Amino acid sequence: MGRKTAGPRSTPALAALTAAAVPFTAHPYSHEAGVSSYGLEAAAALGVDPDRVFKTLMASVDGGVVAAVVPVSGSLDLKALASVLGRRKAAMADPDAARRRTGYVLGGISPIGQRQASPVVVDRSALDHVTVFVSGGQRGLDIELAPADLVAVTHALVAPIAGTRSRPEDRRPASSA
């Protein structure tokens, strides 16, 4: 993997990876307006198994904000997220709060290079792959990198936080990437 940007526009995620000397490949693709399942769109556009493409969901856990990174082929298990953090309750974060905190648009939230860093929890299934894809910080841009590098650069906790296949209510564009 090399280091390349998505054309002339860089993002804080790409800058953070470059500054940390983390190998990655940026994969731009054409985002279609009106698509609400951004991660599944990325998987299809890039021809990648959805189990290797991970979405970043911002969650409120006992008043704090956490970035949960789970496969786009599944959902976030909020009870599991709260449990692994030793907390009682988790809920999806307010979409406007997610935008302000991360500095990214919905559908383009990356776990890397957020304006105000949040604790990150990556689903354990990421470790099943040689490389995974996460949002590059804008719609139409994914970053491919080794899961160990994703964990290291975000200082993430790795835990089983993914639920079963996505249901329509899990595909809330409100705070997903």
Side-chain angles (χ1 to χ4, degrees):
M1 278 184 283
R3 286 181 186 88
K4 64 181 182 179
T5 61
R9 289 188 56 193
S10 188
T11 67
L14 298 175
L17 289 171
T18 300
V22 172
F24 69 93
T25 302
H27 294 277
Y29 60 91
S30 180
H31 166 66
E32 297 295 325
V35 170
S36 63
S37 184
Y38 304 108
L40 291 175
E41 176 191 39
L46 299 173
V48 178
D49 182 343
D51 289 342
R52 288 183 55 211
V53 180
F54 284 70
K55 57 189 170 186
T56 303
L57 301 171
M58 301 305 292
S60 176
V61 182
D62 284 351
V65 178
V66 174
V69 182
V70 297
V72 302
S73 59
S75 62
L76 172 61
D77 181 337
L78 291 165
K79 288 181 182 179
L81 178 64
S83 178
V84 301
L85 295 172
R87 305 288 187 204
R88 292 179 161 206
K89 186 178 178 183
M92 295 306 295
D94 174 72
D96 290 331
R99 278 191 289 263
R100 284 190 305 273
R101 183 174 185 97
T102 65
Y104 294 125
V105 298
L106 300 178
I109 295 178
S110 180
I112 304 162
Q114 294 186 359
R115 178 179 292 148
Q116 184 179 356
S118 300
V120 177
V121 181
V122 174
D123 185 64
R124 198 219 64 74
S125 66
L127 302 180
D128 295 341
H129 307 286
V130 174
T131 62
V132 294
F133 293 72
V134 296
S135 176
Q138 64 188 36
R139 293 176 189 152
L141 175 64
D142 265 30
I143 301 168
E144 180 181 9
L145 73 167
D149 290 336
L150 172 63
V151 169
V153 77
T154 60
H155 308 286
L157 171 66
V158 177
I161 59 167
T164 58
R165 284 207 163 293
S166 293
R167 299 178 310 263
E169 62 270 21
D170 293 329
R171 294 189 206 131
R172 296 175 45 184
S175 48
S176 64

